[in-house]
Amino acid sequence: MRHLVKYGSNPGVPTPKRGEAIAVLVEDVQTWPTLNEDGVSWDGNFVFKPGTGFLKTYMTPSTQKALLESSGSPDAYGTKGKYMGEYPGTPKEAIVWAKKHNSRGFVIFYGGCDTEEFKTMGTKCLPMVLQVSMEDNNEKNFMTLSFEQEMINDQFIRFYTGTVDSETPTELVAGADFALEKANGVIYQLPATAVTDDITVTANDLDEDTVVTLIGAGGVAPLTLANQPAAAVGILLKDAATWTALAGAVINLKVVKADKTYLVEVSRS
C-alpha cells in the first residue's frame, strides 16, 4: 500500500466505546496468536492457562480513550500505547481489584460497540502496565485506570477478530474425526494418541470467517492434519504441508464458504 487515502464517508466520527474494555493478563496466556504479515493483525485465538481467561474491566464509556504517542531520538524513534478511562466510585471490591492488578502487564482490547473487530494495545514483551489513581471529593468519586507501555517500540496497535470468550478448550477425548459446532466453541484440544491417524472434520456449523484453533497433545504417534481439498469439509493448508499435533502445537484455521465449507490455514506454531 503506497498511498494513504480516506476510508469511508465519515471515518473521523468518534467511536462509541463499549462499557467494558477487555483485558488479558500477559502471564495468563499459554499460546499466543501469531502476527500476520501485514504487521498489525493477530492471526488465531488466545489460548489460556487453566483457570484463567479474558478479564472485563468496566470504565465509563465517555471517559475511555486510546492514545498512541511518538517519541525518541534519531535512530531510536518509536511509539507508546496508552488506554485509560474512569471507573465510577471507590467501593471495596473495586479497590481490592485495583490493588491486585496494579503494575501488572496486560493486553487491552477495545473497539466500537457495533463491531466484532477489536483493536488491541500491548504484546507479550511490551505489555500495557496498569497504574491506578483515585479522586474522591465534593464533586466526584472515581478511579482512573491507565494502561500504558513502559518503553517506546514499533508495535503500534493491532487488530483482532478471534474469540473474546473465556472458554475452556473443548477436549476431544478419542478419535481423529469430529464436527465443529457452535456449542463447543472455537478452541479444540486434540487427544494424545498411541497410533497416528489423519484428522477429519466431518461437519461444521460455525459462521464464515470464524477462526478455529486446534491444539496438539502429542503421544507416541500424534495425529496429523493433511491438505484435504476434496473432503466434505475441505482443508486447505499452506503449501499443502501436513501439520503434526505435537504436544503444545497449534494451528489456526479460518472458515470459508464457497461451493462448500473450507477450513483455510491462517497460521501454525
Side-chain angles (χ1 to χ4, degrees), residues 47-65:
V47 179
F48 295 96
K49 298 173 184 176
T52 66
F54 290 98
L55 302 174
K56 292 183 177 180
T57 307
Y58 181 83
M59 291 179 279
T60 303
S62 62
T63 68
Q64 294 181 40
K65 57 183 176 180

Side-chain angles (χ1 to χ4, degrees), residues 199-200 214 223-228 235 237 241-244 251 253:
I199 297 168
T200 300
L214 304 182
L223 298 174
T224 59
L225 180 66
N227 204 54
Q228 306 167 45
I235 306 293
L237 303 181
T242 296
W243 175 75
T244 302
I251 188 167
L253 306 157

Side-chain angles (χ1 to χ4, degrees), residues 172 174-179 197-202 223:
L172 304 173
D177 300 346
F178 58 91
D197 198 357
D198 292 328
I199 297 168
T200 300
V201 178
T202 57
L223 298 174

Side-chain angles (χ1 to χ4, degrees), residues 198-211:
D198 292 328
I199 297 168
T200 300
V201 178
T202 57
N204 168 74
D205 73 353
L206 300 177
D207 296 331
E208 185 163 21
D209 293 331
T210 299
V211 176

Side-chain angles (χ1 to χ4, degrees), residues 37-119:
E37 61 184 15
D38 67 10
V40 297
S41 301
W42 294 107
D43 285 339
N45 293 300
F46 283 81
V47 179
F48 295 96
K49 298 173 184 176
T52 66
F54 290 98
L55 302 174
K56 292 183 177 180
T57 307
Y58 181 83
M59 291 179 279
T60 303
S62 62
T63 68
Q64 294 181 40
K65 57 183 176 180
L67 303 169
L68 190 70
E69 299 177 344
S70 297
S71 63
S73 57
D75 299 322
Y77 284 110
T79 61
K80 287 172 64 176
K82 184 175 184 178
Y83 196 85
M84 60 191 301
E86 294 179 3
Y87 178 87
T90 51
K92 180 178 180 180
E93 294 82 359
I95 298 299
V96 170
W97 186 94
K99 181 178 179 180
K100 178 180 179 181
H101 294 96
N102 195 48
S103 300
R104 298 173 76 178
F106 292 85
V107 177
I108 297 297
F109 298 68
Y110 67 97
C113 63
D114 59 351
T115 176
E116 296 303 316
E117 180 180 67
F118 286 87
K119 296 175 182 176

Side-chain angles (χ1 to χ4, degrees), residues 128-147:
M128 306 286 284
V129 178
L130 174 62
Q131 299 294 331
V132 181
S133 60
M134 185 183 76
E135 185 173 337
D136 187 354
N137 55 38
N138 62 347
E139 295 182 351
K140 204 170 184 181
N141 176 22
F142 67 97
M143 293 191 298
T144 299
L145 306 179
S146 298
F147 299 85

Side-chain angles (χ1 to χ4, degrees), residues 213-257:
T213 299
L214 304 182
I215 308 170
V220 176
L223 298 174
T224 59
L225 180 66
N227 204 54
Q228 306 167 45
V233 176
I235 306 293
L236 300 177
L237 303 181
K238 291 181 179 179
D239 300 321
T242 296
W243 175 75
T244 302
L246 301 172
V250 169
I251 188 167
N252 295 295
L253 306 157
K254 179 178 284 190
V255 176
V256 176
K257 296 184 178 181

